[in-house]
Amino acid sequence: MVEPSDETLMALVAAGNWAAFDRLILRHQDAVWRTAYRMVSDRQAAEDLAQDAFLRIFEAADRYRPEAAFRTYLYRVLVRLCLDYRRKGRAVPDEAAVLAADESGGPDESLVQSERETIVRHAVARLPARQRAAIVLKYNEGLAVREVAEAMQLSVKAVERLLARGRATLERRL
């Protein structure tokens, strides 16, 4: 059986199909939470932002037009929410919270790899919000630069500059 595309599911959601929305949530919830967490460094805030992103997607289902991939649309909503959260002066949690182990890691990870990941997560958490968003979307979520640009509502050149500045900052810090 072929799984329906995200765009097909959104059309069903617009028609009032709750099961289609549940499928969209199940398909994307882990990546959305992970992205929100990497952007705000607060587990509870990430959960709230992820839920808010899905709620906004649901509320706008009848206005959704698949001009870009659904995933890009979802990240656009999420990034906007995360940037607003950071812009409103919400503090990034203290270093201990940022350095907390990522739940997605397996028990067989070597100590060196775990320490390296912790150092990188901490350095990314200290980037300016827009650089951090671009880095997370490109390198953690695997979006193409064009998709990052669409999600952040920026030009490709602007995203390339954010990525270059973010990488340069990370190189200095690491």
Side-chain angles (χ1 to χ4, degrees):
M1 184 170 143
V2 176
E3 280 289 315
S5 70
D6 292 338
E7 293 74 19
T8 300
L9 290 173
M10 276 301 287
L12 292 170
V13 172
N17 185 326
W18 286 82
F21 189 63
D22 287 343
R23 288 175 83 174
L24 277 172
I25 291 173
L26 290 173
R27 191 176 285 178
H28 295 284
Q29 68 185 355
D30 291 341
V32 168
W33 181 87
R34 215 176 29 248
T35 301
Y37 178 67
R38 287 180 174 133
M39 290 183 66
V40 301
S41 300
D42 180 307
R43 291 181 189 281
Q44 185 58 52
E47 178 135 343
D48 293 344
L49 290 163
Q51 288 176 5
D52 196 18
F54 282 116
L55 177 63
R56 289 183 186 209
I57 295 290
F58 179 77
E59 290 171 342
D62 61 336
R63 295 184 308 273
Y64 172 73
R65 301 291 173 261
E67 295 158 1
F70 172 79
R71 185 173 85 150
T72 303
Y73 173 65
L74 176 59
Y75 281 122
R76 180 181 306 151
V77 172
L78 180 64
V79 166
R80 191 175 310 132
L81 289 168
C82 290
L83 291 175
D84 286 347
Y85 176 87
R86 297 284 305 268
R87 199 173 300 128
K88 290 179 182 174
R90 309 277 192 342
V92 174
D94 64 14
E95 189 170 315
V98 172
L99 295 175
D102 189 340
E103 291 178 6
S104 65
D108 60 336
E109 279 185 340
S110 72
L111 181 59
V112 172
Q113 181 65 25
S114 179
E115 287 177 6
R116 185 176 299 136
E117 289 172 3
T118 298
I119 291 166
V120 170
R121 265 195 318 276
H122 179 62
V124 170
R126 293 175 40 217
L127 288 173
R130 288 169 35 123
Q131 286 178 25
R132 183 178 187 176
I135 293 284
V136 166
L137 292 174
K138 170 75 173 129
Y139 297 108
N140 294 112
E141 296 307 318
L143 271 65
V145 173
R146 180 190 50 74
E147 293 174 307
V148 175
E150 290 174 12
M152 294 183 70
Q153 296 182 305
L154 298 171
S155 69
V156 169
K157 284 290 185 196
V159 169
E160 289 171 344
R161 285 190 298 270
L162 285 171
L163 289 169
R165 286 194 309 264
R167 283 190 306 263
T169 300
L170 290 173
E171 285 177 18
R172 282 192 309 274
R173 290 181 181 165
L174 299 173

